[in-house]
Amino acid sequence: MFRIVTPDDFKTTAWKNGGGVTHEILRDEGEPWRWRISIAEVSTDGPFSAFEGQTRILTVIEGEGLDLHAPGGGVLRARPFRPLTFSGDAPVDSHMVNGPVRNLNLIYDPRYVKASVEVIDGPATIESGPGQTGVLCMDGRVTLAEDALPCGAFGSGQGGCIDVGQKGRCVVVRLA
């Protein structure tokens, strides 16, 4: 059974540095939480918040991408629909590539959670698997255990098939 969360249900918070907003979709109910799924709207260049002890998987879903500058001169390139994994401990400074972006963020504690993010282009049918599975519908027809997932909405649950139509695209988050 899947629970569908629409954008109207997302919890929106402005960033302290004024560089964007976060739309929290779901989070672990524990305290402290062990994982959080959100969409960020990045409107200016600037530092990322640190999440000590956490791992981040960032997937650009709108815009051309971000260059994340790390200490020592390293650059992580976040590009559209290519999930990028990096440490939440890393003090990175974000630079937009040709304007604002939106990205799906999974932040999780690797001591307790195994996680992955993948982009699925249709047509495709995949099993949700034994753990918690989340699906963000980006385009076209996506169904979760026979329930249609509206574009921009996020479905979360266990068991059942995820069907992605001919021109469908979704981002799949797996937590175990």
Side-chain angles (χ1 to χ4, degrees):
M1 187 63 138
F2 282 86
R3 170 183 165 208
I4 295 178
V5 183
T6 66
D8 289 339
D9 299 322
F10 298 169
K11 179 182 174 187
T12 301
T13 306
W15 296 351
K16 290 177 186 175
N17 70 6
V21 297
T22 295
H23 306 284
E24 184 175 285
I25 301 169
L26 294 171
R27 77 163 53 201
D28 173 47
E29 297 297 326
E31 192 57 48
W33 52 266
R34 292 180 283 181
W35 56 267
R36 182 184 86 175
I37 300 168
S38 63
I39 293 176
E41 293 186 26
V42 182
S43 56
T44 62
D45 295 338
F48 267 31
S49 297
F51 288 91
E52 292 185 24
Q54 308 288 309
T55 297
R56 297 176 76 142
I57 303 177
L58 181 149
T59 306
V60 173
I61 59 173
E62 286 182 21
E64 293 187 36
L66 297 169
D67 287 338
L68 307 178
H69 295 261
V75 178
L76 303 171
R77 299 187 193 295
R79 295 301 183 258
F81 298 105
R82 293 193 334 223
L84 174 67
T85 302
F86 60 100
S87 171
D89 292 323
V92 298
D93 194 51
S94 170
H95 297 273
M96 298 178 296
V97 177
N98 296 323
V101 302
R102 291 179 77 224
N103 56 66
L104 179 72
N105 287 295
L106 169 61
I107 302 171
Y108 66 97
D109 188 332
R111 295 173 300 173
Y112 304 104
V113 178
K114 290 185 181 185
S116 67
V117 175
E118 67 179 316
V119 176
I120 305 291
D121 288 312
T125 299
I126 59 173
E127 290 292 323
S128 65
Q132 182 83 0
T133 300
V135 181
L136 176 67
C137 179
M138 294 305 307
D139 200 15
R141 182 184 59 77
V142 176
T143 57
L144 307 174
E146 301 181 17
D147 291 327
L149 183 62
C151 194
F154 192 88
S156 177
Q158 293 179 296
C161 286
I162 301 165
D163 289 311
V164 184
Q166 181 69 30
K167 295 182 181 180
R169 172 178 268 180
C170 63
V171 182
V172 176
V173 176
R174 296 183 191 273
L175 301 165

